[in-house]
Amino acid sequence: DAPPGAALAAAGEGEEGGGGTAPAGREGSIARASAALRDALVTVDFFRPFSIDGETGMRYRGTGVVLDAAAGLVAVDRNTVTSTLGDASLTLGGRVTVAARVEYVHPLHNFALLRYDPACVPADVRVSAAKLAPRPLPPGAEVVRAALASGGANEGPDRA
């Protein structure tokens, strides 16, 4: 199992990508990461109908990453899913919304785990798990951040 905070391995050299020859350098890393994560990123909507612990926000939206498609396990940040008390839903493939249950919110680190029923996903919607690196990236390593935006994927290079 990968340790908490393990990096997504989608942008690494030699990873399987979208089938064609990717450009070299930074554009190649972004293209490989986009292809590898295309079916692993989901939109997460979280609704909390009342205030908890002084938090007054009620509706949150963010990007989650599928960790296990067969088990329906998704990781998301705690800015999107702030507690276990609320209703969560996932939009898969940009077009199908399914209910999700908050399984865990880490008390210190910025992540929460959601679970959805894979049987509720239509057969024509592709969902796959992101591949995680076996260990954390070294300081200063170049990474590619990826998220979903209303107009499509939003990615770019960053430093760890």
Side-chain angles (χ1 to χ4, degrees):
D1 288 353
L8 292 174
E13 292 300 320
E15 296 295 326
E16 294 180 20
T21 303
R26 182 173 282 179
E27 287 90 27
S29 293
I30 293 171
R32 284 190 301 277
S34 293
L37 292 173
R38 181 173 294 119
D39 299 327
L41 295 180
V42 299
T43 299
V44 178
D45 286 296
F46 185 70
F47 174 72
R48 195 180 56 224
F50 44 82
S51 294
I52 299 173
D53 294 331
E55 294 181 27
T56 58
M58 297 177 69
R59 294 189 184 277
Y60 303 87
R61 174 173 272 189
T63 301
V65 62
V66 177
L67 300 177
D68 186 331
L73 190 63
V74 172
V76 65
D77 63 278
R78 281 184 34 193
N79 298 319
T80 303
V81 175
T82 59
S83 73
T84 57
L85 300 173
D87 298 318
S89 63
L90 307 173
T91 303
L92 311 167
R95 61 188 179 95
V96 174
T97 301
V98 296
R101 181 177 66 246
V102 181
E103 292 285 328
Y104 179 73
V105 176
H106 196 284
L108 298 175
H109 299 291
N110 186 22
F111 75 90
L113 298 176
L114 306 176
R115 188 174 306 273
Y116 67 94
D117 182 358
C120 294
V121 180
D124 65 333
V125 175
R126 291 180 45 166
V127 178
S128 62
K131 181 178 178 183
L132 300 179
R135 58 191 152 300
L137 293 173
E142 187 168 5
V143 298
V144 176
R145 65 177 161 76
L148 296 175
S150 59
N154 177 17
E155 65 266 325
D158 278 332
R159 293 247 174 230

